[in-house]
Amino acid sequence: MPTVIPAIVAPSATEPLFTGTIERRDVGPADVLIDIRWAGICHSDIHTINGDWGAQHYPLTVGHEIAGTVAEVGSEVTKFAVGDRVGVGCMVNSCRECANCLAGEEQYCLNGNVGTYGSKDVDGSTTQGGYSTSIVVTEDFVLRVPESIPFEKAAPLLCAGITTYSPLRHWNAGPGTKVAVVGLGGLGHMAVKIAHAMGAEVTVLSRSLAKKDTALELGADHYFATEDPETLRTLRGSFDLMINSTSAAIDINAYLKMLALNGTLVNVGLPPEALPVRVGNLIGGRRSFAGSNIGGIAQTQEMLDFCAEHGIAPEIEITSADQVNEAWARVLASDVRYRFVIDIETLKS
Ligand code: NAP
Ligand code: ZN
Ligand code: ZN
């Protein structure tokens, strides 16, 4: 018998979220039941409910930045025990047989991974996310949260952390590389902290000067406002790697021109609109335009351990279950420094 639990529910693409209920499956032999304590708010939650990326099955509960405590384990579970501090990110399963799964890149599963919400689960039901009091997940998709990471700050690492860590690692950010972070939101501010810890020289490209002081505190070496046309001219040919985390379409050609020879602009931001590239901007500098999607399970654990080792955690603002609509409005207005985290205790009471 499924268990009915409290959750924050989106009834449709256009109506406000409300506090309702969802169902969780029984704990199977390989499953872990997690009591959710903290849930981060990712811009992807909003894109999804808005239908920016396609139609959804409503009602839907989103949330894929989950931190909680193991409450029960299935009979075959070996990696976790009751009481462990754990996390769940954007995936809860994958085929585990395709070339990409076997390479540890489950996020690129050729048969489609099972997303934490809005995805078809193995039993045919639609997955429901972390704006809820508990979740049942197969142990292979559960992450261990190191003790030194403050629990409330662990949640955003499960999406914003890994989504920026993965391309920074793949494109070898480190001493001697010049990295630009475009858009200083939830993802962007983690990109700054992680790239700085990797030893790269970090530049923030934000729309205005409003976030300059905090960006430098996060570890940025330089900061420019992109609303100033001088910025694009000054920075022509500058960067080895640009991480574009903006949630809306930008003039990508203007940004490609800021890449150095052999530089790569990686989109992690996923706006609903296309970003048309003028090929001359790639040819003139052997430049690449790339994309990157979260990270595999093993790399997500590596990122958590890296953050623990380097004392890295997101800057957060804690919100409550009855304030999530207001929090979403503030995310859309880029008015959060830099990630909202829902205190799930407020959903239990
Ligand atoms: P966020 O906190 O809202 O940050 C987005 C940032 O984009 C804002 O802080 C703002 O930076 C900039 N921005 C917003 N509107 C803009 C506009 N109209 N023009 C130019 N810049 C604008 O969002 P997030 O949670 O970091 O997510 C960012 C994007 O990444 C979303 O599209 C999300 O769906 C996507 N995402 C992708 C993955 C993946 O695996 N690839 C994972 C998670 C999220 P400034 O104010 O500094 O200019
Ligand atoms: Zn996300
Ligand atoms: Zn697969």
Side-chain angles (χ1 to χ4, degrees):
M1 280 288 288
T3 309
V4 176
I5 59 156
I8 298 164
V9 179
S12 72
T14 51
E15 296 162 280
L17 308 173
F18 69 95
T19 300
T21 58
I22 55 170
E23 289 184 351
R24 291 298 183 200
R25 67 168 184 264
D26 288 340
V27 177
D31 284 339
V32 171
L33 169 68
I34 300 163
D35 252 340
I36 299 176
R37 183 64 188 85
W38 304 100
I41 295 179
C42 177
H43 206 119
S44 300
D45 303 342
I46 305 174
H47 283 307
T48 299
I49 295 302
N50 283 350
D52 287 349
W53 300 331
Q56 300 296 321
H57 290 286
Y58 302 99
L60 182 64
T61 291
V62 292
H64 58 206
E65 294 186 336
I66 299 169
T69 307
V70 174
E72 191 182 330
V73 295
S75 55
E76 292 167 12
V77 167
T78 57
K79 297 177 193 156
F80 298 99
V82 171
D84 286 354
R85 282 179 10 142
V86 293
V88 177
C90 303
M91 308 177 277
V92 289
N93 217 332
S94 72
C95 86
R96 306 167 189 228
E97 313 178 328
C98 72
N100 293 354
C101 283
L102 293 176
E105 307 266 24
E106 303 89 355
Q107 73 280 28
Y108 304 119
C109 176
L110 294 169
N111 297 304
N113 64 60
V114 181
T116 303
Y117 57 75
S119 229
K120 195 173 177 187
D121 210 343
V122 283
D123 62 2
S125 64
T126 299
T127 54
Q128 303 290 338
Y131 294 11
S132 60
T133 57
S134 68
I135 190 166
V136 179
V137 182
T138 180
E139 68 166 334
D140 292 340
F141 284 73
V142 177
L143 286 307
R144 192 170 291 284
V145 174
E147 283 302 321
S148 65
I149 298 176
F151 209 14
E152 69 280 10
K153 294 190 173 194
L157 297 176
L158 276 303
C159 176
I162 183 58
T163 300
T164 49
Y165 181 88
S166 188
L168 287 166
R169 267 277 176 268
H170 184 80
W171 279 278
N172 299 315
T177 52
K178 293 186 175 176
V179 173
V181 175
V182 186
L184 197 63
L187 266 56
H189 95 291
M190 286 312 305
V192 171
K193 287 193 180 210
I194 293 169
H196 175 71
M198 288 174 173
E201 182 179 336
V202 184
T203 300
V204 168
L205 301 174
S206 181
R207 283 168 294 177
S208 73
L209 288 173
K211 301 175 185 172
K212 182 169 182 179
D213 290 347
T214 50
L216 299 178
E217 285 167 22
L218 297 172
D221 299 287
H222 316 282
Y223 183 105
F224 293 88
T226 51
E227 68 187 5
D228 178 356
E230 226 11 76
T231 294
L232 305 179
R233 274 193 287 276
T234 313
L235 297 176
R236 248 185 130 95
S238 292
F239 302 109
D240 303 304
L241 178 63
M242 299 178 83
I243 306 284
N244 175 19
S245 74
T246 56
S247 51
I250 57 173
D251 175 8
I252 207 71
N253 291 295
Y255 288 79
L256 286 169
K257 289 176 187 163
M258 288 189 257
L259 287 174
L261 181 64
N262 299 322
T264 302
L265 194 170
V266 185
N267 244 78
V268 289
L270 189 49
E273 306 85 7
L275 298 180
V277 170
R278 214 166 282 127
V279 176
N281 291 324
L282 301 178
I283 291 177
R286 201 161 51 204
R287 299 170 175 131
S288 303
F289 182 39
S292 185
N293 182 31
I294 50 171
I297 293 297
Q299 195 178 48
T300 305
Q301 190 63 58
E302 179 189 305
M303 174 277 307
L304 287 165
D305 298 341
F306 177 92
C307 288
E309 186 188 329
H310 292 269
I312 295 174
E315 304 301 312
I316 62 163
E317 183 174 334
I318 292 174
T319 189
S320 55
D322 61 353
Q323 291 294 314
V324 176
N325 287 298
E326 289 76 6
W328 275 25
R330 286 184 49 201
V331 172
L332 288 171
S334 300
D335 174 30
V336 50
R337 302 287 187 274
Y338 280 93
R339 200 57 142 186
F340 276 115
V341 174
I342 307 167
D343 179 352
I344 294 296
E345 286 296 322
T346 63
L347 186 57
K348 292 176 182 164
S349 52

